[in-house]
Amino acid sequence: MVISPWENRTTIVEFVLRGFSSIRQLNIFLFMMFLVFYILIVSGNIFVILLVLFSYHLHTPMYFFLVNLSFLEIWYTSNIVPKMLLIIIAGQKTISVAGCLAQFYFFGSLAATECLLLAVMSYDRYLAICQPLQYPILMTGPLCFRLAASSWLCCFFLTAITIVLLSRLTFCGPSEIDHFFCDFTPLVHLSCMDTSLTKNIAYATSSAVTVVPFLLITASYSCILVAIVRIPSGTGRQKAFSTCSSHLTMVTVFYGTLIGTYLVPSANSSQLLHKGFSLLYTILTPMFNPIIYSLRNKDIHEALKNCLSKKPGFLRGSKEEKSCICPSDGEPVSEI
């Protein structure tokens, strides 16, 4: 810490992440558990990315967005878990103010991007189920690229506004953050300046990238539910629902943990409980995503079979495959 010449107060130049210091006797167990989880997250999402890239019949809009989501999960977890492992096993708890702001920037940007990608994927499911004949015309390759790119750029830009405001704050103690990564609320509480503007801007931007996508997802699935109910046969309803069950599960897990973390009043919950909810969406959710999309997905199963049997169709598709648009989980919606 350094003493500012123009102020009679101490300015913090680094923070101390307390992590899970209250349960030190479990450090070895926590380290091994989080390390295994991290390996599973990285390997599972890399597996999904490679399987989609090298399986021709998975080159559809749904799996294009899934590749974006898997890449995001790897980056998202790698921004937090390695530092958390160092805190647990090596006791390297200090982090510079610049490093803390950088960690929060990537954390906030990637979390917001996931919200928008989930909304884009729900729109894709809406078109596949509610407008199957027009799906190949509406959900084109250029549109998929623009939707994905705009999700990434928009969230990184909006989070940058919050980071600029945070970087202008003076942090004057205490220097300890009772968390295993740098989050917005602990950072603001350590500032000795007026943070009302920063809080208001952060609240507005976070609402824009979380609440608005959630409302879009809700609207999409309301239309999907109405369309499924109108299908006369039970088999047709089951097939239609299977096209969005994996994505709906991902949305439920992600937003459920997010709501549990940030909407539960801190006065009614301990900091340890808050850390527990944070672990759910920083570790468990990224680990579950490839599992959720693999267990009940016929396309993934077929691609894996082709991979293991080294069939020619694994790397390149036939003309029949190319003419079939298959945005559903194993069932073609329409053919050109």
Side-chain angles (χ1 to χ4, degrees):
M1 294 187 292
V2 296
I3 304 297
S4 302
W6 61 88
E7 296 177 351
N8 189 20
R9 59 190 177 190
T10 306
T11 301
I12 295 174
V13 295
E14 65 179 17
F15 298 113
V16 177
L17 296 172
R18 291 177 57 186
F20 299 95
S21 57
S22 58
I23 45 179
R24 293 175 183 173
Q25 61 273 22
L26 299 178
N27 276 359
I28 299 298
F29 171 75
L30 290 176
F31 176 80
M32 296 302 299
M33 180 177 65
F34 294 149
L35 179 61
V36 170
F37 285 165
Y38 181 58
I39 294 173
L40 291 176
I41 291 169
V42 174
S43 58
N45 284 284
I46 288 178
F47 165 76
V48 171
I49 292 173
L50 294 179
L51 195 63
V52 172
L53 290 179
F54 291 106
S55 299
Y56 187 87
H57 74 282
L58 296 183
H59 292 182
T60 60
M62 182 180 70
Y63 294 105
F64 170 76
F65 296 128
L66 182 60
V67 166
N68 275 266
L69 194 62
S70 295
F71 176 73
L72 181 148
E73 300 290 19
I74 296 173
W75 194 5
Y76 179 72
T77 310
S78 298
N79 179 50
I80 294 175
V81 176
K83 179 62 179 178
M84 183 175 68
L85 293 176
L86 287 175
I87 292 174
I88 294 174
I89 199 65
Q92 297 182 13
K93 300 181 179 181
T94 59
I95 182 171
S96 65
V97 172
C100 193
L101 292 177
Q103 187 185 58
F104 171 69
Y105 173 65
F106 287 112
F107 162 73
S109 300
L110 294 170
T113 304
E114 181 162 1
C115 293
L116 290 190
L117 284 177
L118 290 175
V120 169
M121 293 173 76
S122 70
Y123 175 68
D124 172 74
R125 295 299 82 209
Y126 161 76
L127 291 180
I129 295 175
C130 299
Q131 302 184 42
L133 297 180
Q134 296 182 353
Y135 179 84
I137 301 174
L138 296 175
M139 190 57 70
T140 60
L143 177 62
C144 293
F145 178 81
R146 287 196 295 269
L147 289 173
S150 60
S151 298
W152 286 88
L153 295 175
C154 176
C155 293
F156 273 77
F157 172 75
L158 289 178
T159 309
I161 298 175
T162 303
I163 291 298
V164 170
L165 294 174
L166 281 174
S167 64
R168 294 182 177 181
L169 297 178
T170 299
F171 302 98
C172 50
S175 61
E176 289 189 350
I177 297 178
D178 190 11
H179 215 319
F180 55 88
F181 71 95
C182 295
D183 205 352
F184 178 78
T185 302
L187 281 173
V188 171
H189 286 168
L190 295 181
S191 176
C192 49
M193 299 175 62
D194 181 15
T195 60
S196 57
L197 176 62
T198 303
K199 290 180 180 179
N200 291 335
I201 296 297
Y203 178 79
T205 55
S206 61
S207 298
V209 295
T210 54
V211 178
V212 174
F214 181 75
L215 294 177
L216 293 175
I217 293 172
T218 303
S220 297
Y221 275 103
S222 298
C223 297
I224 290 172
L225 181 60
V226 172
I228 291 177
V229 170
R230 291 177 178 175
I231 297 176
S233 66
T235 303
R237 287 194 295 269
Q238 183 178 1
K239 288 182 178 180
F241 180 76
S242 69
T243 65
C244 56
S245 58
S246 298
H247 175 259
L248 185 59
T249 303
M250 291 169 55
V251 170
T252 303
V253 172
F254 179 77
Y255 271 98
T257 55
L258 206 62
I259 291 172
T261 302
Y262 291 103
L263 294 189
V264 174
S266 57
N268 298 330
S269 59
S270 66
Q271 181 64 17
L272 186 60
L273 180 62
H274 183 78
K275 294 177 186 177
F277 275 114
S278 299
L279 284 175
L280 290 179
Y281 67 81
T282 56
I283 294 182
L284 293 186
T285 300
M287 185 177 66
F288 284 151
N289 282 351
I291 297 175
I292 291 171
Y293 253 95
S294 300
L295 287 180
R296 298 184 57 188
N297 194 308
K298 295 180 182 178
D299 287 347
I300 295 291
H301 295 169
E302 186 65 26
L304 185 58
K305 281 183 183 179
N306 293 339
C307 173
L308 296 177
S309 60
K310 297 182 180 179
K311 290 183 178 180
F314 176 61
L315 293 177
R316 55 184 175 82
S318 62
K319 292 182 179 179
E320 290 77 15
E321 284 179 316
K322 188 174 182 180
S323 64
C324 180
I325 305 299
C326 304
S328 66
D329 292 359
E331 294 294 330
V333 171
S334 62
E335 293 183 1
I336 301 177

